[in-house]
Amino acid sequence: MDRDVSGPRVVVGVDGSPSSYEALRWAVRYAGLVGGTVEAVAVWELPGLYGWSAPAVDMDVDEEETRQRIRKELTDVLGAEAAESVHSHVVHGNAADVLLRAAEGAEVLVVGSRGRGGFAAALLGSVSQHVSQHASCPVVIVRARQQ
C-alpha cells in the first residue's frame, strides 16, 4: 500500500455492502478533518480455494476489470471529485489479513459492521470483529444507514 505518503493514512475496507459504503463516506470525512489520505482496499478471494476440494469457480479474475469496477463504485458512492482523492487497491487474499497488513502504520482502519456474507441479524461481521481485535491502530466500525 502507499506507505510513503505524508500525513495520516486512513484505510477503509470496501466490499460492495451498504455498511462498507458508509465506512467509505466516514473515512473520507475523517481524512478531510485530519488532513489525511484515504486508501480504499477491496479484497477478493476465491471460494473453496483453500479447502480440501478443488475450486468450483473460474480461477481467471480480470484484475484490471476489477480495478475499473472499484473506481466506478467509488465515484458512485462519493461523487467524481471526492473519488479522485481516494487511492484504491485491489488485493487477493483473506479480507481480515489483507486489511490488517494495509492498516499497519495507519491513523485508523475503517470497516463496515457487516459485509456481504453472514447472517442478516449479526451485529458484527467476521472481518470487522477480527480486525477490531487484532489491528495495530484504532478501528472504526460503521453501520449501514437504516432504510
Side-chain angles (χ1 to χ4, degrees), residues 26-146:
W26 192 97
V28 168
R29 284 191 305 271
Y30 180 78
L33 292 172
V34 300
T37 59
V38 177
E39 293 183 13
V41 180
V43 183
W44 63 275
E45 182 176 33
L46 297 173
L49 186 58
Y50 303 109
W52 57 269
S53 64
V57 295
D58 184 0
M59 295 281 294
D60 294 327
V61 174
D62 186 338
E63 287 192 51
E64 183 55 35
E65 180 183 326
T66 303
R67 283 187 186 87
Q68 290 173 2
R69 282 198 337 253
I70 294 301
R71 292 306 311 169
K72 181 183 180 330
E73 211 168 274
L74 293 175
T75 301
D76 291 347
V77 172
L78 300 172
E81 188 175 329
E84 284 299 315
S85 68
V86 175
H87 304 279
S88 62
H89 305 279
V90 178
V91 182
H92 174 260
N94 173 275
D97 293 340
V98 168
L99 290 171
L100 289 172
R101 280 194 312 274
E104 290 175 2
E107 170 91 3
V108 66
L109 171 60
V110 187
V111 294
S113 61
R114 268 192 357 89
R116 296 182 344 167
F119 297 100
L123 294 176
L124 284 181
S126 59
V127 172
S128 58
Q129 185 171 20
H130 185 83
V131 300
S132 71
Q133 295 171 349
H134 299 284
S136 60
C137 65
V139 176
V140 174
I141 301 172
V142 181
R143 292 177 58 105
R145 291 181 186 169
Q146 296 297 326

